[in-house]
Amino acid sequence: MVQRLEKADVVTVGVGWTGGIIAAELTKAGYKVVGLERGAEQKTEDFLQTKDELRFDSRYDLLQNLSNETITFRNTSDMTALPMREYGAFHLGTGLGGAGVHWSGVTWRFLPYDFEIRSQTIEKYGEEKIDTDMSLQDWGITYEELEPYYDRFEKTAGISGEENPYGGFRSDDYPTPPMKTTPALRLFKNATEEMGYQPFMAPSANLSEQYTNPDGKTIYQCQFCSFCSRYGCDFGAKSDPINTVIPTAQETGNFELHTYANVTEIIHEDGVATGVRFVDLTTGMEYEQPADVVVLTSFVLNNVRLLLQSELGQPYDPESQTGIIGKNYCYQVEFDGQGFFEEKYNMHMGAGALGMAIDDFNGDNFDHSELDFLHGGWISLRQNGRTPISSNAVPAGTPSFGREFKEQSIYNFYRMLSVGTQGASLPNVNNYLDLDPTYTDELGNPLLRMTFDFHEQDRNLRAFLAERMEEILTQMGASDISVDKELGSFDVEPYQSTHNTGGVIMGDDPETSAVNNYLQMWDHDNVFVVGASAFAHNSGYNPTGTVGALAYRAAEGIENYLSNGGGQLVQGEKSKKHV
């Protein structure tokens, strides 16, 4: 029997960065918020003395248990999708704080070009520059409109950085100075300056100095211990939801948290959501949580899956190219090149977001007139902590095991530097998410099915960025340079990037987008879907800065919705279908 709980003003499905921001802002405004988190509660002190590479980096202690729930994957719609049974291409977080606990901390703003990518591309290069199978569209919001919310997120998280010479307008400086440079970063900086580029320190949520945010939460100075990505920070020096927005919400007395609460359905009737149904994973008991507003704040893939499972919104159909939910799923073109040096560099010391970057080949910061791709990626040398188990760089041609491998691995541990990039992923009509017709999770609900592959846009972008990276490594004085310019079919096994986006995309037209620019569903006024699921494409950056900015804007929209008696917050523009 389903037990009905007391009604709340707002219920969030997931309590990471987005759920935490929604909860903090609305509880401060006096609203009652219930947060449903299917993982365990986590605190900073839980990570004390847990610098264990085997536990977190090899056995993925902070990630979702794939034996209980996973996704299925295929490259094309004529293939049979199979379950992802081991972690590889991307990592799905679990527990209070979600992926925001084990993230690296790199915190970019997207470029103004990103939000008006279709309009600006056509204006500069003509419509023929956009491939017919590329479902490229504007986001329904401009950078200038989103800028105040970027500023709020950066001040909540205390981001350390210096201005991107190619970035959009900033209303204020970063709240803390950039992180320290190192000999390796200075080598990259000097080389790229000599080549005429404009290097700068990457924006970081590993803080350069102790900082107290506007909500009174203190984040400490980074100790450069290197245990950031895939780890919780035991020193409280990496901004995350459990040391910022979640305790802010809890201190109001208006926030109620349920952990181990796995939401299985959004309850709705006649275009209005009345709450959610969830299972307590510790007892198996089923509950109904009524609320005036339902906010989906889980990971990208889970937001999409819950909408499809609850039959909210029209599922995307790749054949007719109609429907929205599951459309414009994007990944990234992320890879490294490596070079070897005689001089030693202590790359074991570092931080998740410690890096020197150039943005000369990102967005439309360079002329694409004669190029066979759009967009680009940031290129960097990052010092995020080389680990002893998984880091075994050796020159090409070295055996992959045995005595020579061991000798080369030990000799080169301090002599290899890598230059990496995150290339943008632009939407393709054949890449999408839907429900798998065969496989189910432990509760009997269908798994999410991912259909994705790289296309010529991605391959041409990779080849271009690889050439730039090879040139930079040469300028740095490296030998045995290895940068793979080829990009085959997407393979779910090797790790590449956890930056999945799309599926519940935002825009200004209800026919081509699922949510408006407050992330409010066009066809269900009291449902908001917050996170990178709203991205109409994936830019050449880490997504968390933009996710945080959109969450602050959504929180403002929900408060307006509640205080003004409901209704659509944005008037949809006349249909102007792009695909």
Side-chain angles (χ1 to χ4, degrees), residues 46-63:
D46 295 335
F47 302 114
L48 286 170
Q49 303 300 317
T50 58
K51 292 176 169 54
D52 185 339
E53 184 184 357
L54 190 63
R55 174 182 170 187
F56 293 101
D57 209 13
S58 302
R59 295 175 177 166
Y60 307 119
D61 196 70
L62 291 178
L63 304 188

Side-chain angles (χ1 to χ4, degrees), residues 176-196:
T176 54
M179 298 190 78
K180 295 180 183 297
T181 62
T182 68
L185 300 188
R186 289 192 286 274
L187 178 65
F188 178 89
K189 182 176 190 289
N190 293 337
T192 51
E193 280 181 339
E194 289 165 3
M195 298 170 78

